[in-house]
Amino acid sequence: MSFTTRFAPSPTGPLHLGHAYSALLAYDMAQAANGTFLLRIEDIDQSRARPEWEAQIYEDLRWLGITWDDPVMRQSDRLSSYKTALHDLWNTDALFACTCSRRDIAEAASAPQEGGAPLIGPDGLVYPGTCRTNGRSSGVNPLPENAALRLSMNYAATTTATPRIGGGVFSFTETGMGPNGETGLIEFPAQAAVAHIGDVVLARRDMGTSYHLSVVLDDAAQGVSHVVRGADLFEATKIHVILQRLLGLSTPTYHHHALIRDDGGKRLAKRDDARAISLYRREGASPSDIRAMVGL
Ligand code: GLU
Ligand code: ZN
């Protein structure tokens, strides 16, 4: 199988050392495999994406010595593909409309009858199910407007409409490592996804899509065979595998890498402008200094 990977930054701030590590690692893996390295701009959050940051991404990557095959994919150009997929899912009863606020969810999840502490999944609080009965009533109905669309995880776990689902076990291959050393064949029962992930949002009211839906459709559209990214997204991969099954897409191989931490051992966040590649560069660092800093 030919090797195609991608780097998928959001243009919402400067690229920092953690991004440099991720991009260089993916690029080096593509080079070593004689494969393809692609770029994708994850700008579905138009309230935070800025053209200046996008321009800076290209500049920083070029300076690091990274080249990519055209075209660059931009998520804001793909809204109609996301909508088509949502339509398909809606018409199979995989989705329901949700009008809960964050506060409604927090309150329902911690209500005494739920018992115990609210569960936190890879996408935040496990949805307590308030709007679960809001599915399409019958036949093919239009997508609801002005509501978030959630995946019914119970549907995903039990449907027999899609080959290889139906109360079974989901799996993917991990060639790197999850946060707890998970590697190799990663298997998780569908029922565990119901309990520990729950009904995740696939389309936010304000966006018409979500990170999870977009990333799965985009990786498939770009022909990505290997996803290289930080271990903070390891648990979210389970959501991605489930979506791939429901949408009839193949599951790439995943390579999650350790996160670059600051000197105090804390993980680098977007707001750590002090770690911006452009700043190191202005201070006279070379691309090989950056490689050395991230251990490549
Ligand atoms: N856009 C995501 C980020 O900036 C990366 C998503 C991914 O690699 O799947 O962290
Ligand atoms: Zn709701």
Side-chain angles (χ1 to χ4, degrees), residues 70-246:
D70 281 332
V72 173
M73 179 176 277
R74 196 185 280 108
Q75 290 188 324
S76 54
D77 294 334
R78 302 218 348 109
L79 299 180
S80 65
S81 303
Y82 306 148
K83 191 144 201 188
T84 302
L86 287 167
H87 262 283
D88 290 349
L89 291 173
W90 176 253
N91 288 332
T92 61
D93 285 325
L95 303 180
F96 62 89
C98 171
T99 50
C100 296
S101 65
R102 269 171 199 278
R103 177 146 168 210
D104 295 335
I105 294 169
E107 282 175 4
S110 60
Q113 64 271 24
E114 293 288 322
L119 267 175
I120 311 282
D123 205 47
L125 273 182
V126 172
Y127 183 66
T130 322
C131 300
R132 209 172 271 152
T133 49
N134 286 350
R136 75 192 167 108
S137 46
S138 67
V140 176
N141 294 329
L143 275 180
E145 309 272 342
N146 293 320
L149 297 174
R150 287 184 181 272
L151 173 65
S152 163
M153 198 56 89
N154 194 53
Y155 172 90
T158 55
T159 181
T160 48
T162 307
R164 296 183 296 154
I165 317 195
V169 172
F170 297 100
S171 66
F172 63 96
T173 300
E174 172 65 56
T175 61
M177 224 175 248
N180 299 306
E182 302 93 333
T183 192
L185 180 67
I186 309 295
E187 294 187 293
F188 56 103
Q191 285 308 325
V194 174
H196 301 295
I197 299 174
D199 304 332
V200 291
V201 170
L202 292 193
R204 280 172 47 170
R205 199 187 325 215
D206 54 342
M207 263 182 203
T209 184
S210 61
Y211 160 67
H212 301 301
L213 180 69
S214 296
V215 85
V216 160
L217 291 170
D218 296 346
D219 283 335
Q222 287 190 299
V224 170
S225 66
H226 288 72
V227 172
V228 180
R229 63 185 180 191
D232 53 332
L233 290 168
F234 178 82
E235 286 298 325
T237 305
K238 296 174 181 172
I239 301 171
H240 302 167
V241 170
I242 292 165
L243 287 176
Q244 286 150 0
R245 290 286 179 82
L246 285 174

Side-chain angles (χ1 to χ4, degrees), residues 270-289:
K270 267 263 157 71
R271 62 187 169 281
D272 286 330
D273 291 8
R275 305 278 158 170
I277 296 166
S278 49
L279 202 73
Y280 284 109
R281 182 179 170 186
R282 250 176 284 144
E283 287 171 352
S286 69
S288 48
D289 292 333

